[in-house]
């Protein structure tokens, strides 16, 4: 089953996945239009919606989709800020809908109730893991986000990372500032430049690529730690959470 990104809003991606009998799985529809257009263009109807978290740019299209297809199941985290969920799921639960089966992984950090879906060789990571980056800490702590990313890093390396935003180009600039000697990262950055010049999505990436290039998954890498040494106190230089917090704070203020 192939995951396909649909461009939405400014830089969001809605993800879709084909199933049997002209069915379509929809992930994080921030607006309805791209989903309706894709369904009509390919002669498919949405069969289910998966939601990773409550932010409007990931759920804003759901009411219009439910108006068009009233019986759609909506799988979402246990969060009352998503009022139209029909199935609430959390860590260790399984989503079984139509032809699809996903493991649910709770990944707090960006939001308290953020979840990810893993199945069919694909990770729908929402705003937790981006290509070459990670989400801002709007509700969670650095310790929570680090633990969430550590969990995702343990998935099979061939897993396709399908995240919620086209942030890869700006993330690459920061990653190169952190780890300028990383040859894999430099190669990925050059690939991203070519893709964006051709107006192509930089996603999905692979988890193997992220493990080799994404500084937020490389908090134990010597060059990442060396780059962070001046941003933590001497007694924090072996503290993974302190290092991660410093890395996220650096990214938050990074001008590019």
């Amino acid at each position: 089953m192939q995951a396909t990104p649909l461009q939405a809003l400014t830089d969001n991606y809605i993800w879709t996945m084909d199933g049997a009998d002209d069915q379509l799985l929809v992930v994080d529809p921030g607006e309805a239009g791209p989903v309706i257009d894709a369904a009509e263009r390919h002669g498919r109807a949405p069969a289910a919606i998966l939601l990773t978290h409550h932010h409007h740019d990931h759920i804003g299209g759901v009411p219009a989709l439910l108006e068009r297809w009233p019986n759609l199941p909506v799988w979402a985290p246990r969060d009352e800020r998503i009022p139209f969920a029909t199935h609430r799921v959390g860590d260790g639960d399984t989503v079984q809908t139509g032809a699809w089966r996903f493991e649910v992984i709770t990944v707090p950090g960006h939001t308290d109730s953020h979840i990810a879906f893993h199945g069919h060789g694909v990770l729908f990571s929402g705003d937790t893991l981006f290509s070459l980056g990670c989400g801002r800490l709007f509700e969670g702590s650095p310790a929570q986000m680090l633990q969430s990313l550590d969990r995702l890093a343990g998935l099979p390396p061939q897993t396709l990372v399908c995240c919620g935003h086209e942030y890869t180009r700006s993330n690459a600039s920061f990653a190169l500032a952190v780890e300028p000697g990383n040859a894999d990262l430099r190669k990925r950055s050059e690939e991203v430049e070519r893709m964006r010049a051709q107006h192509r999505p930089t996603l999905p990436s692979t988890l193997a690529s992220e493990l080799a290039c994404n500084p937020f998954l490389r908090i134990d890498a010597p060059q990442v730690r060396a780059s962070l040494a001046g941003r933590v106190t001497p007694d924090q230089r072996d503290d993974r959470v302190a290092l991660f917090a410093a890395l996220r704070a650096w990214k938050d203020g990074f001008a590019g």
Side-chain angles (χ1 to χ4, degrees):
M1 295 183 182
Q2 182 175 348
T4 302
L6 306 178
Q7 294 186 19
L9 302 170
T10 303
D11 51 32
N12 278 75
Y13 284 130
I14 301 165
W15 288 92
T16 64
M17 183 177 276
D18 291 342
D21 301 324
D22 295 328
Q23 293 184 323
L24 192 68
L25 181 73
V26 179
V27 183
D28 284 355
E31 59 179 336
V35 177
I36 294 170
D37 291 346
E40 292 179 344
R41 187 166 59 250
H42 299 293
R44 293 182 174 270
I49 297 173
L50 306 184
L51 302 175
T52 61
H53 64 294
H54 74 277
H55 285 163
H56 186 74
D57 63 325
H58 290 253
I59 70 172
V62 176
L65 294 177
L66 291 177
E67 184 175 344
R68 177 80 175 260
W69 294 283
N71 297 318
L72 277 177
V74 179
W75 301 77
R78 297 185 177 100
D79 191 325
E80 295 306 315
R81 293 172 291 188
I82 306 176
F84 32 70
T86 62
H87 299 72
R88 304 278 185 184
V89 289
D91 198 51
D93 289 338
T94 298
V95 171
Q96 181 74 60
T97 183
W100 305 283
R101 180 183 175 90
F102 290 92
E103 172 196 2
V104 179
I105 307 171
T106 297
V107 284
H110 183 66
T111 68
D112 287 338
S113 62
H114 202 302
I115 59 176
F117 300 92
H118 175 239
H120 306 283
V122 166
L123 173 69
F124 294 117
S125 58
D127 286 358
T128 296
L129 175 63
F130 295 128
S131 184
L132 304 183
C134 76
R136 286 180 180 265
L137 304 182
F138 287 122
E139 296 176 5
S141 67
Q144 285 178 309
M145 182 63 98
L146 178 58
Q147 183 178 38
S148 295
L149 293 175
D150 282 344
R151 291 192 67 187
L152 298 183
L155 295 174
Q158 68 270 23
T159 300
L160 297 178
V161 177
C162 301
C163 58
H165 290 270
E166 182 55 74
Y167 288 164
T168 317
R169 193 178 198 175
S170 60
N171 285 345
S173 295
F174 175 71
L176 285 166
V178 176
E179 206 173 8
N182 185 328
D184 290 325
L185 171 58
R186 193 160 297 280
K187 182 178 178 181
R188 171 64 170 151
S189 178
E190 292 169 356
E191 174 189 57
V192 166
E193 289 296 329
R194 289 193 298 271
M195 288 175 144
R196 296 313 292 157
Q198 298 167 5
H199 306 289
R200 293 166 53 202
T202 62
L203 302 165
S205 64
T206 65
L207 186 57
S209 175
E210 298 307 316
L211 290 168
C213 302
N214 188 331
F216 292 96
L217 297 185
R218 294 175 55 77
I219 205 68
D220 300 315
Q223 188 170 17
V224 173
R225 291 199 167 199
S227 292
L228 292 169
R231 296 175 180 271
V232 295
T233 60
D235 62 321
Q236 292 176 323
R237 289 177 183 171
D238 291 319
D239 182 332
R240 297 182 79 242
V241 173
L243 290 165
F244 182 86
L247 183 64
R248 184 62 256 184
W250 183 6
K251 176 64 166 67
D252 290 343
F254 187 71

